[in-house]
Amino acid sequence: MRAVEYAGAGGPEVLSVVTRERPEPARGQVLIEVVAAGLNRADVAQREGAYPPPAGASDIPGLEVSGRVIACGDGSEAAVQELVGTDVVALLAGGGYAEYVAVDARHTLPVPAGIDVLDAAGLIEVAATVHSNLRGEAGLTPEDNLLIHGGAGGIGTFAVQFVRAFRQRSGSGANADRPAHTIVTVGSQAKAEFALSCGATEAIDYSAEDFSERVREITDGAGVDVLLDVVGAPYLEKNLGSLSRDGRMVVIGLQGGRKAELDMGLMLGRRLRIIATTLRARDAERKAEIVRGVADEVWPLIESGAIVTHTDAVFDLDQAREAHEHFDAGSHTGKVLLRMR
């Protein structure tokens, strides 16, 4: 099969298309003929040498795919065998930039009704990330004020739609005395307009404004209850300044750096919590639980149209370098996909 590999650490120039042996599914696994893979920030971090795959995972990049199940491992139970011939999405620890991938059947979901199998390639990683961190780790409620960094990217656009639908479904979050805000930070006015069209209530252009000061203005000094951060060290002080009492910050990325000085007194005085998580290295059982949560609470929102897929660009497998160049440029809104066939 054709696949992408990294020839060392560096920029897009380290990507090359190679021939690899097609994987064989083990018991409880399915073999997927991949239609497309979603690009994620983790793929870039791995390319740069900062985020190696977990032990036992494929060195081929790619954490999410869509495609058709064409086989299952010998001895698999009936529920796994019944997946053969169906179109699915899959959450991976690696291996997605390839024409075939083998994955634990519990880490797959059917392509949502009404969604093209190509566009579906960009769904499962962001859905699992958003749901497990906002609802699981941070315990987001409909009344909580929320700040999301990177509001025009794949995670950001999905998150604002999910939160809007979550509030509407609960019938909460519209208290006139304390409206629930979904605030995002973006890098341009065009991205601000896009984020607002997806469901953000406020968009802050971090290149022109101090986001922490704006958050305080928007929330009448209260701050946000939950903050989803992909930047890391450079934003730590301002992130803490943006949180309300009992605020929770979930760190899911370190795009700006790893180390910063932490004011523990501020945290104690305002009862703040910092939660740091990654999805890729979780064990198989926990990933299966996360996927079930997505199936229960997120997939119906996609099928109803409450959450819409946003595909920014599609590149063919032979254009993997160009796909990464486009991703690195930071101009995209929504998902960037790599098409295998």
Side-chain angles (χ1 to χ4, degrees):
M1 68 174 185
R2 294 189 306 157
V4 172
E5 68 178 17
Y6 296 153
E13 72 278 357
V14 304
L15 276 74
S16 61
V17 179
V18 299
T19 299
R20 291 282 192 96
E21 291 292 325
R22 195 176 85 171
E24 293 295 331
R27 181 176 181 178
Q29 290 187 327
V30 293
L31 180 67
I32 299 173
E33 185 177 42
V34 178
V35 169
L39 270 68
N40 289 282
R41 185 63 57 182
D43 304 340
V44 174
Q46 180 178 336
R47 189 196 74 207
E48 294 172 340
Y51 193 33
S58 171
D59 65 309
I60 297 170
L63 304 184
E64 59 180 343
V65 298
S66 62
R68 174 153 292 193
V69 176
I70 61 170
C72 64
D74 291 342
S76 296
E77 59 186 35
V80 177
Q81 296 177 34
E82 290 170 0
L83 292 175
V84 176
T86 64
D87 291 336
V88 299
V89 299
L91 185 66
L92 312 170
Y97 290 16
E99 292 180 315
Y100 298 90
V101 67
V103 61
D104 189 323
R106 298 173 299 169
H107 303 165
T108 70
L109 286 175
V111 171
I115 303 298
D116 182 82
V117 67
L118 175 70
D119 290 322
L123 280 176
I124 187 64
E125 173 72 15
V126 291
T129 297
V130 167
H131 186 263
S132 65
N133 285 295
L134 291 185
R135 291 286 290 128
E137 301 291 345
L140 182 78
T141 71
E143 294 79 16
D144 283 336
N145 285 326
L146 171 66
L147 173 63
I148 301 166
H149 291 307
I155 289 175
T157 55
F158 195 96
V160 295
Q161 291 184 87
F162 170 71
V163 173
R164 178 177 60 184
F166 173 56
R167 288 173 178 155
Q168 290 174 343
R169 185 182 58 185
S170 69
S172 303
N175 187 325
D177 296 327
R178 187 184 182 276
H181 296 285
T182 299
I183 307 167
V184 300
T185 62
V186 294
S188 69
Q189 184 57 37
K191 287 189 174 184
E193 292 172 1
F194 178 68
L196 290 170
S197 74
C198 291
T201 59
E202 300 282 347
I204 303 169
D205 182 349
Y206 61 77
S207 67
E209 300 180 276
D210 183 311
F211 74 79
S212 186
E213 291 181 3
R214 283 289 293 128
V215 165
R216 288 287 168 182
E217 292 174 6
I218 292 166
T219 61
D220 295 324
V224 293
D225 304 288
V226 174
L227 192 159
L228 190 64
D229 180 45
V230 296
V231 178
Y235 276 12
L236 179 59
E237 182 178 356
K238 289 184 178 180
N239 279 342
L240 294 180
S242 300
L243 288 173
S244 65
R245 290 190 181 277
D246 298 306
R248 295 90 71 196
M249 177 171 72
V250 185
V251 182
I252 61 171
L254 301 171
Q255 295 175 25
R258 300 175 55 176
K259 296 182 179 180
E261 187 171 308
L262 177 63
D263 185 344
M264 295 294 291
L266 175 64
M267 292 191 65
L268 286 170
R270 291 167 53 197
R271 300 185 300 274
L272 305 180
R273 281 177 277 168
I274 298 177
I275 306 160
T277 71
T278 61
L279 180 60
R280 184 181 194 182
R282 291 179 186 261
D283 64 37
E285 293 295 335
R286 182 63 182 126
K287 279 189 179 179
E289 291 176 9
I290 289 171
V291 170
R292 286 196 296 270
V294 169
D296 291 342
E297 195 163 354
V298 182
W299 246 227
L301 299 176
I302 296 172
E303 294 184 332
S304 72
I307 296 177
V308 179
T309 58
H310 290 287
T311 299
D312 175 87
V314 180
F315 294 84
D316 292 333
L317 177 60
D318 291 330
Q319 299 174 303
R321 290 187 185 182
E322 290 89 339
H324 271 241
E325 289 169 354
H326 179 72
F327 193 92
D328 287 357
S331 60
H332 61 282
T333 53
K335 294 291 292 192
V336 179
L337 306 179
L338 195 62
R339 179 168 46 205
M340 302 301 155
R341 63 190 74 251

